[in-house]
């Protein structure tokens, strides 16, 4: 899979990628946060047309996501970081991801400007898969009807995304997010098609876990996560080694944490993990994240968390 960042890089491409887009592409547009079953169905629609037309498949995403640009810290928590999203899209067989920077300049695009500069001149799109409620351009001036109208003259077709239901409700990133925040992990697994996980690179922390007898692998998160609290987890390293353990995800209020962090204590593991990527799958909630009066109180609670985790794992 090829990642292209921004319109300038798209238009200045050369070689194999430019050649692959020379006859056009089949594209879709969205945040694809979580890459849930609804998103996966959209990708299937794109892939079906991609194979039929013998054209590359393209997914256009945005960084930051539009609501993050407009709402800042009030934006909804992310379900996955950008790299994990790319990995999920690559696993579905997407050929190209076009990541557009959502900034003030991009926000000012008119609906027609977006279609002409990005879809026609940039991607040379031949077929587009988007929801019939899709809006784009300054003041959301562009819509599905405009795409269909312009497409008739410009030589591309537009297809509505299929709605995917579960339990009588549409699957959406908002629904996944709400289920995570309420610790309904089994429901999240149904909506995603797999248990919820977070991947990231292990960095040096304050070494507090080591001092209190529970060393942790620390992953710094760029965005506030949808999950907050202490969980039983399964963690997998790139070499395939997997260990169960306990993870705290949140802001670490007892030690004046300010940045969102995922801290994982792995059972029956000894070694150095710094710099490696870890995929942490959340199995079961243990408790909320709380502020303790002292490090000693925190240590006592962590010891209890580990006992509770082992008990839950043994009872499965």
């Amino acid at each position: 899979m090829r990642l292209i960042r921004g319109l300038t890089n798209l238009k200045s491409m050369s070689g194999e990628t430019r050649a692959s887009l020379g006859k056009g592409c089949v594209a879709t547009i969205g945040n694809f946060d979580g890459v849930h079953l609804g998103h996966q169905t959209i990708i299937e629609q794109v892939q079906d047309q991609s194979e039929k037309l013998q054209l590359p498949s393209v997914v256009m995403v945005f960084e930051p996501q539009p609501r993050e640009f407009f709402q800042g810290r009030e934006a909804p928590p992310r379900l996955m970081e950008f790299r994990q999203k790319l990995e999920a899209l690559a696993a579905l067989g997407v050929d190209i991801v076009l990541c557009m920077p959502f900034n003030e300049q991009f926000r000012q695009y008119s609906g027609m400007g977006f279609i002409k500069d990005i879809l026609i001149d940039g991607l040379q799109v031949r077929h587009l898969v988007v929801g019939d409620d899709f809006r784009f351009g300054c003041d959301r001036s562009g819509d599905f009807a405009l795409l269909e109208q312009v497409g008739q003259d410009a030589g591309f077709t537009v297809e509505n995304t299929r709605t995917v239901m579960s339990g009588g409700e549409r699957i959406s990133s908002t629904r996944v997010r709400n289920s995570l925040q309420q610790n309904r992990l089994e429901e999240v697994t149904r909506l995603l098609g797999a248990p919820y996980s977070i991947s990231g690179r292990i960095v040096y922390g304050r070494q507090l876990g080591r001092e209190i007898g529970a060393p942790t692998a620390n992953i710094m998160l760029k965005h506030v996560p949808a999950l907050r609290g202490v969980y039983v987890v399964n963690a997998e390293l790139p070499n395939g080694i997997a260990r169960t353990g306990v993870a705290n995800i949140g802001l670490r209020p007892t030690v004046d944490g300010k940045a969102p962090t995922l801290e994982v204590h792995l059972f029956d593991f000894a070694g150095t993990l710094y710099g490696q990527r870890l995929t942490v799958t959340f199995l079961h909630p243990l408790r909320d994240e709380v502020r303790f009066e002292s490090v000693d109180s925190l240590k006592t609670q962590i010891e209890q968390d580990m006992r509770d985790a082992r008990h839950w794992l043994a009872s499965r």
Side-chain angles (χ1 to χ4, degrees), residues 90-155:
L92 293 173
V94 173
D95 295 315
I96 297 170
V97 171
L98 172 61
C99 179
M100 296 298 297
F102 203 102
N103 50 29
E104 186 60 32
Q105 179 181 357
F106 185 86
R107 187 192 72 83
Q108 293 179 8
Y109 256 116
S110 66
M112 282 300 301
F114 178 89
I115 295 173
K116 181 180 183 302
D117 285 1
I118 300 173
L119 299 184
I120 298 176
D121 294 344
L123 289 173
Q124 302 177 63
V125 68
R126 291 276 306 281
H127 186 77
L128 183 65
V129 180
V130 292
D132 58 11
D133 59 350
F134 176 62
R135 303 301 292 265
F136 58 96
C138 185
D139 298 324
R140 296 165 59 85
S141 57
D143 58 13
F144 193 90
L146 179 63
L147 287 167
E148 286 187 310
Q149 176 186 336
V150 175
Q152 290 177 358
D153 296 328

Side-chain angles (χ1 to χ4, degrees), residues 150-170:
V150 175
Q152 290 177 358
D153 296 328
F156 67 85
T157 52
V158 188
E159 176 185 356
N160 186 18
T161 55
R162 302 178 193 135
T163 298
V164 181
M165 308 288 286
S166 175
E169 297 182 45
R170 184 175 73 91

Side-chain angles (χ1 to χ4, degrees), residues 31-41 43 79-81 84-90 92 171 173 176 191-194:
N31 291 321
F32 289 89
D33 189 21
V35 194
H36 52 63
L37 290 180
H39 293 144
Q40 294 171 37
T41 298
I43 300 301
L79 299 177
M80 56 172 46
E81 298 287 358
Q84 189 175 0
K85 182 190 299 186
L86 292 181
E87 293 169 346
L89 293 173
L92 293 173
I171 297 177
S173 296
V176 175
L191 301 179
L192 296 178

Side-chain angles (χ1 to χ4, degrees), residues 71 109 131 143 181 190 208 233 235 239 286-287 293 296:
Q71 297 179 241
Y109 256 116
D143 58 13
Q181 291 174 330
R190 290 195 297 272
L208 178 61
V233 299
N239 60 8
L286 290 176
R287 62 175 175 85
E293 293 302 319
D296 286 341

